[in-house]
Amino acid sequence: MKSVFACQSCGAQAPKWLGRCSDCGAWNSFVEETVEKPGKATERRSAAEPLGGGKATRYADVDAVVSTRFSSGISEFDRVLGGGIVPGSLVLLGGEPGIGKSTLLLQAAAAFARDTGPVLYASGEESEHQVKMRGERLGVGDAPLFLLAETCIERILEEVDRVRPALVIVDSIQTVFSLKMASAPGSVGQVRQAATDLLFTAKGRNLPVFVVGHVTKDGSLAGPKVLEHVVDTVLYFEGDRHHAHRVVRAVKNRFGAISELGVFEMTGQGLQAVLNPSAMFLAERPENVPGSAVLCCLEGSRPILVEVQALVGTSTLGNARRTVSGLDPTRLSLLLAVLDKRAGLNLATDDVYVNVAGGMTVDEPAADLAILAAVASSLRNRPLHPNTVVFGEVGLAGEVRATSQAPLRLREAAQLGFTRCVVPDGNATAGDGPKGMEVVGVRTIGEALDALM
Ligand code: TYD
Ligand code: MG
């Protein structure tokens, strides 16, 4: 049997071991794998059959199938999926250990089994008893949910043949192995093989399949990147284990918008959908305290209000510290430089701590103005105007640039009872705010700070 060395992070292959992958640059990522002889052309063709049939079709002759979506029984989960579960789709749910992937899928499985049809839940990580114990807590009841503690993909597919479920869940792809490969479960070859087998099953039977994927410490999916290319939808489960709320985010979706967001709260009875995340993120906001600004950020098509907090203090050490959580640290450095140069607020000898309350992560440039406002407010030790929301991108010249979807953001702020909004001038003139909302347009960060303090 021939063997090759495969990079476990990108799937690149080399005839001998390498310390560093020449493709993706990962260190120490090569593992020896045995290769099967590539099948004959006919075999390969039959494996690919479900996707096409081998003949090209005129665009006009292709039927536009409007596939009906099934509800997963959890509204927030349906939203991330782009409106429900598409038949024949292969969905990957990634996330750190203990974040709640198995819990969410078990809840969805139970609801789906109750409303739509039988579900096969194949778990390679927990025994049937363990899954049942969790299920009792989640109130699965007597829905037609079939549990299978199995890691061999061929056996799982046999059970799919036997049970004929309407939904298959495989928890997790890293524990599954195929008899066709000799390498260990979780290795690049095994993961790819299992994913491909599941893909053909999904497409061939028009059966939705969910797979769980583990995430490594640096936040990328363990195993090959190819996994993300194989599946139709990639969802990431994010959140801080120290906070109760969890966020499910779509980063790839062949059937819907990406960067849609579902917000959940982990409770004693499993994950509960949070229908009004803004209210949750602002629940513990202190009033009239310096260094706190309310930002309206946009996640996918969903506006969410979060609190940006800053603390500026004299540095006791030689070099000032910048500590950020929930935001991009380089963005903060840039904004502090702008604040220094364009607004005359010098922070070179001060420690600056910035935090998005509630463990939320914001990566939108529209957060710039809120960050600056929070930092300036803490530096001057003066609270911002109460009941004020702020958003806007800041450029290097200290100008405030318009952001997308301003009316949506303003509406969300009005719904939560905010009466004043400091926004980029471009947004203030283009769209008028909701009733009872004072919209203040600003052109520079100087104007913004005047309007806010
Ligand atoms: P789990 O779904 O096992 O995580 P993953 O599959 O992503 O590794 O989530 C487990 C965590 O969730 C565990 O730490 C306990 C907590 N939990 C609750 O708080 N309430 C519940 O009802 C359940 C089922 C789990
Ligand atoms: Mg799990």
Side-chain angles (χ1 to χ4, degrees):
M1 209 180 274
K2 216 179 126 220
S3 74
V4 293
F5 290 85
C7 171
Q8 299 300 300
S9 93
C10 72
Q13 295 191 333
K16 62 181 173 50
W17 189 82
L18 298 175
R20 183 168 190 239
C21 176
S22 52
D23 275 23
C24 69
W27 288 94
N28 212 3
S29 61
F30 276 84
V31 166
E32 182 171 18
E33 287 181 356
T34 50
V35 278
E36 308 305 310
K37 263 192 271 153
K40 290 195 194 78
T42 47
E43 279 172 37
R44 258 182 286 154
R45 178 137 8 107
S46 69
E49 203 74 52
L51 287 176
K55 283 198 194 72
T57 318
R58 256 177 83 104
Y59 176 82
D61 297 338
V62 179
D63 302 329
V65 188
V66 188
S67 57
T68 46
R69 290 171 183 256
F70 299 116
S71 169
S72 66
I74 303 173
S75 61
E76 288 291 292
F77 197 38
D78 286 345
R79 166 206 278 281
V80 196
L81 288 166
I85 302 173
V86 178
S89 63
L90 180 60
V91 180
L92 174 69
L93 178 64
E96 284 174 26
I99 197 101
K101 302 180 294 296
S102 308
T103 306
L104 177 65
L105 288 182
L106 190 59
Q107 279 180 270
F112 188 92
R114 224 173 287 132
D115 303 337
T116 313
V119 177
L120 179 68
Y121 186 104
S123 176
E125 305 196 330
E126 291 162 301
S127 69
E128 283 121 345
H129 304 290
Q130 278 174 301
V131 178
K132 170 118 191 178
M133 244 158 56
R134 183 197 307 248
E136 294 292 279
R137 208 145 35 112
L138 304 176
V140 171
D142 56 359
L145 173 64
F146 295 84
L147 302 181
L148 172 67
E150 179 59 69
T151 54
C152 171
I153 188 75
E154 281 81 10
R155 279 282 306 128
I156 293 174
L157 295 182
E158 267 172 45
E159 283 301 294
V160 171
D161 272 336
R162 200 177 64 83
V163 176
R164 305 211 156 270
L167 173 72
V168 175
I169 294 170
V170 178
D171 187 3
S172 66
I173 191 83
Q174 275 90 6
T175 56
V176 171
F177 72 97
S178 164
L179 297 172
K180 290 183 212 123
M181 313 276 291
S183 49
S187 67
V188 91
Q190 287 287 12
V191 168
R192 190 169 27 194
Q193 182 66 44
T196 316
D197 284 352
L198 288 170
L199 180 75
F200 287 144
T201 306
K203 300 296 168 202
R205 295 162 180 271
N206 209 24
L207 174 70
V209 178
F210 282 74
V211 294
V212 169
H214 289 295
V215 156
T216 54
K217 268 190 252 91
D218 61 0
S220 60
L221 218 53
K225 208 72 187 146
V226 286
L227 197 53
E228 289 192 11
H229 298 296
V230 171
V231 300
D232 296 311
T233 303
V234 181
L235 307 179
Y236 273 104
F237 215 132
E238 295 168 3
D240 200 324
R241 247 183 291 173
H242 307 294
H243 289 100
H245 85 269
R246 304 277 186 274
V247 171
V248 182
R249 205 184 282 275
V251 293
K252 165 185 173 177
N253 194 350
R254 288 190 182 141
F255 307 109
I258 60 152
S259 66
E260 275 301 345
L261 187 91
V263 184
F264 297 91
E265 196 175 357
M266 185 59 101
T267 68
Q269 284 79 45
L271 290 156
Q272 231 84 60
V274 175
L275 298 177
N276 191 342
S278 297
M280 185 183 75
F281 286 122
L282 295 183
E284 288 168 80
R285 185 172 59 104
E287 303 266 340
N288 280 322
V289 170
S292 159
V294 178
L295 158 73
C296 190
C297 59
L298 205 68
E299 293 286 351
S301 60
R302 181 177 214 178
I304 294 183
L305 298 181
V306 292
E307 182 195 357
V308 179
Q309 298 180 320
L311 184 66
V312 178
T314 313
S315 178
T316 47
L317 299 169
N319 45 350
R321 302 217 294 170
R322 273 92 181 85
T323 308
V324 201
S325 83
L327 295 161
D328 178 10
T330 48
R331 194 78 198 166
L332 177 68
S333 307
L334 185 148
L335 291 172
L336 293 182
V338 174
L339 206 53
D340 176 18
K341 203 82 178 165
R342 311 289 172 198
L345 298 180
N346 194 325
L347 291 149
T349 56
D350 291 314
D351 287 337
V352 180
Y353 305 90
V354 182
N355 173 35
V356 179
M360 183 68 185
T361 311
V362 181
D363 57 1
E364 248 199 322
D368 292 355
L369 209 50
I371 301 171
L372 284 187
V375 170
S377 158
S378 177
L379 180 70
R380 293 181 177 165
N381 210 19
R382 276 168 56 192
L384 301 180
H385 277 303
N387 280 324
T388 303
V389 169
V390 57
F391 61 85
E393 181 180 348
V394 173
L396 291 184
E399 82 279 20
V400 178
R401 294 162 169 266
T403 58
S404 60
Q405 306 279 15
L408 211 60
R409 298 175 201 252
L410 290 171
R411 208 177 323 133
E412 175 75 6
Q415 269 167 12
L416 271 267
F418 287 87
T419 50
R420 197 157 170 272
C421 205
V422 175
V423 304
D425 200 44
N427 290 132
T429 43
D432 42 0
K435 254 185 89 174
M437 169 76 81
E438 183 195 350
V439 181
V440 186
V442 291
R443 255 175 257 120
T444 63
I445 57 170
E447 281 180 36
L449 294 182
D450 287 345
L452 283 162
M453 276 191 267

